[in-house]
Amino acid sequence: MMNEFSMLRFAFFMLALLALPLNAATVNNLYQAQVVLPDTDKQSEQTARQQGLEQVLVKVSGQSQVVDNEVIRKALSSSSQYISQFGVGSLNGQQTLDMTFDRVQVHNLLAQANATVWSDQRPAVLVWLVKENNREREIVWDQTSNPLQTEMNTAANQRGVPVLMPIGDFEDITAVTVPDLWGGFVEPVANASLRYNPESILIVRAREDGSNVSLSWQLFEQSADRLVASQVAPKEGRASGELAVATREMVNQIADQLAAKYAVQLGGESRGLFTISVANIQTTEDFFTLERMLTSLSSVASVDVQRLHGDKAMFGVNLLTTEDAFKRELLLDRRMTPLSEDSYTGQALVESDSNINVVNQEQSISDTDVSRSEQDVTTNTVIVGDGVVSPEKTIAQEDSTLTEGSVTQPRSADVVMPSEVAVENQFYWQP
């Protein structure tokens, strides 16, 4: 039976075959841990619980050294209070303790430790692996079952890094060569990677010597379509030693690099209100899905709806981190793209009230206060007023969860109009 990570890799494989964009992947096992249980005595079980919490804290924080934190070390002695579910399993014929940890309590602990948290939406990493043995070099493709590949997948699973290897079909083997990869030539690697559309690209060179291996790697944190133009030097590193140890060291280095870019610092004060505009909100389902997505981001403390305007929604986002970190996390969701003339058909980047394209303007709603009562969404104020028309089959008319109410109309100074939102803070929603 496939475990969750194997199923995730199989999903990546199928997506690659269809040449669909990957960008970010949802990692589902961040709060789960499996630890070998050598004995059934109380001490062995306590040790396994502690090791399980360590595994989860490293995965969720993105920091390989998070367990060195004084607050974390103290919490490890009472690891049981963070467990929401556990049972006995098996791994390679050995008995294991399988644990699921409480998401809220884990986040609270990391906040107390002033650590980071890395959301479950993480950049998919395409791995080009070349191995050298007896002066012969070859590319390791997906499904090759190479021991190095197996160890790398295991280590990536333990760090919550979604990795994908090229499938090695005719298109792959004609697009890139061993010298291209060994020499780190960016253009052919970028062109060969385009079909997989990863968020990051990793080139690994492995020299095997019996049971030992010497690894050198380059991590390109740009997507394939931006790699050549970016001119940004890749992150580099080395690891050597016994196969499992060296591979784990390499993956830890890479995961730490990615987390440094995408993880969000906890334990600080909110960085203040940040306003964004999102276009192409066609239905109430779009609206609530978008709001829930924003609220779930690790970089976000809270979300307030400021205004609905045609097919645009205005959100005031209270940040826990910088605006750049928020945007990086936001754009990991492939349903969200920066607004441009190309992405929003025939519509200019910044529009005034007079040229908003409104669908079916026969029924206008002016100076109407709107509220909603969906149970799983935090109560916020949604305003449709000042003569703004709500399009047919869009937010205000599609669903009974948005109904007329008695919410107080905010002062005009409190209402952010689309033209007042900076160009770089406008986005396009494409579910």
Side-chain angles (χ1 to χ4, degrees):
M1 182 179 295
M2 283 199 227
N3 59 29
E4 290 182 356
F5 185 65
S6 297
M7 293 176 67
L8 180 61
R9 292 188 66 248
F10 178 74
F12 282 156
F13 178 79
M14 295 305 296
L15 286 172
L17 289 176
L18 296 172
L20 294 177
L22 291 178
N23 288 322
T26 302
V27 182
N28 296 315
N29 66 343
L30 291 181
Y31 300 88
Q32 298 172 2
Q34 186 178 48
V35 179
V36 173
L37 197 60
D39 207 337
T40 56
D41 63 275
K42 186 175 181 180
Q43 182 58 46
S44 295
E45 185 174 322
Q46 176 61 31
T47 301
R49 291 173 188 262
Q50 180 174 320
Q51 292 174 351
L53 181 56
E54 289 178 2
Q55 286 183 20
V56 167
L57 290 171
V58 169
K59 280 193 295 185
V60 175
S61 70
Q63 300 177 3
S64 59
Q65 304 301 318
V66 70
V67 293
D68 294 336
N69 182 285
E70 183 178 351
V71 174
I72 300 297
R73 288 202 306 269
K74 184 176 180 180
L76 290 174
S77 62
S78 56
S79 56
S80 297
Q81 73 182 66
Y82 299 95
I83 298 176
S84 60
Q85 186 177 347
F86 70 94
V88 177
S90 63
L91 177 66
N92 299 326
Q94 295 180 291
Q95 181 175 266
T96 61
L97 185 64
D98 299 346
M99 295 158 280
T100 300
F101 289 81
D102 184 86
R103 180 188 183 99
V104 174
Q105 290 201 58
V106 168
H107 279 222
N108 288 341
L109 175 58
L110 291 171
Q112 293 170 18
N114 291 319
T116 58
V117 63
W118 193 5
S119 74
D120 56 5
Q121 289 291 312
R122 301 190 173 187
V125 181
L126 178 65
V127 182
W128 294 97
L129 172 60
V130 185
K131 69 167 186 169
E132 180 184 78
N133 195 351
N134 296 325
R135 298 186 178 181
E136 293 185 0
R137 296 171 180 171
E138 63 177 333
I139 302 173
V140 179
W141 306 107
D142 192 50
Q143 307 300 318
T144 302
S145 298
N146 180 276
L148 176 57
Q149 177 187 6
T150 302
E151 292 292 346
M152 184 178 63
N153 289 333
T154 299
N157 182 37
Q158 291 175 348
R159 286 303 304 268
V161 177
V163 296
L164 165 73
M165 298 192 71
I167 58 180
D169 61 0
F170 181 77
E171 185 173 345
D172 281 337
I173 63 177
T174 56
V176 70
T177 65
V178 169
D180 291 334
L181 295 170
W182 200 268
F185 294 105
V186 173
E187 188 167 354
V189 172
N191 291 336
S193 303
L194 279 171
R195 66 186 299 207
Y196 299 101
N197 196 17
E199 189 68 21
S200 299
I201 299 171
L202 176 67
I203 299 176
V204 180
R205 306 170 191 86
R207 287 188 170 93
E208 297 178 334
D209 182 16
S211 61
N212 291 333
V213 65
S214 176
L215 303 172
S216 62
W217 54 267
Q218 291 178 300
L219 176 66
F220 298 87
E221 296 181 325
Q222 302 80 26
S223 57
D225 58 336
R226 300 175 183 175
L227 185 57
V228 176
S230 71
Q231 299 296 314
V232 177
K235 302 293 194 304
E236 297 183 344
R238 295 179 180 275
S240 60
E242 192 272 326
L243 179 62
V245 174
T247 306
R248 186 166 56 250
E249 180 183 349
M250 177 187 72
V251 172
N252 279 337
Q253 293 172 2
I254 293 164
D256 286 349
Q257 288 287 349
L258 291 171
K261 179 178 181 180
Y262 293 104
V264 174
Q265 183 72 43
L266 296 179
E269 296 295 327
S270 172
R271 302 294 178 89
L273 188 65
F274 176 60
T275 301
I276 65 171
S277 169
V278 184
N280 196 38
I281 310 300
Q282 297 295 327
T283 67
T284 51
E285 181 180 358
D286 287 345
F287 175 79
F288 288 122
T289 301
L290 171 60
E291 189 186 39
R292 281 192 292 266
M293 184 273 284
L294 290 172
T295 304
S296 69
L297 296 179
S298 300
S299 54
V300 172
S302 62
V303 175
D304 296 314
V305 183
Q306 294 185 338
R307 187 175 179 83
L308 303 181
H309 185 86
D311 68 347
K312 289 186 177 180
M314 315 288 294
F315 295 93
V317 184
N318 285 295
L319 298 180
L320 292 170
T321 184
T322 64
E323 294 179 9
D324 287 343
F326 164 73
K327 290 177 183 178
R328 285 197 299 267
E329 186 179 16
L330 178 67
L331 294 177
L332 278 175
D333 192 313
R334 62 183 179 183
R335 295 170 296 182
M336 190 75 84
T337 57
L339 187 62
S340 67
E341 291 185 10
D342 292 334
S343 63
Y344 196 23
T345 307
Q347 197 157 342
L349 196 60
V350 180
E351 300 168 308
S352 64
D353 294 348
S354 61
N355 63 13
I356 292 293
N357 179 23
V358 179
V359 180
N360 193 346
Q361 298 187 5
E362 293 179 359
Q363 295 183 355
S364 71
I365 304 175
S366 58
D367 300 322
T368 302
D369 297 327
V370 182
S371 65
R372 71 191 186 284
S373 58
E374 184 168 283
Q375 292 182 351
D376 60 342
V377 180
T378 303
T379 302
N380 291 310
T381 302
V382 179
I383 304 300
V384 179
D386 300 330
V388 176
V389 179
S390 178
E392 185 178 30
K393 295 184 179 179
T394 55
I395 301 172
Q397 296 177 338
E398 165 86 4
D399 198 295
S400 61
T401 56
L402 294 180
T403 59
E404 293 187 9
S406 57
V407 181
T408 302
Q409 177 85 3
R411 301 186 308 274
S412 59
D414 296 329
V415 179
V416 181
M417 298 300 293
S419 59
E420 297 173 355
V421 178
V423 168
E424 61 269 22
N425 299 334
Q426 298 185 40
F427 301 90
Y428 180 79
W429 174 254
Q430 190 170 2

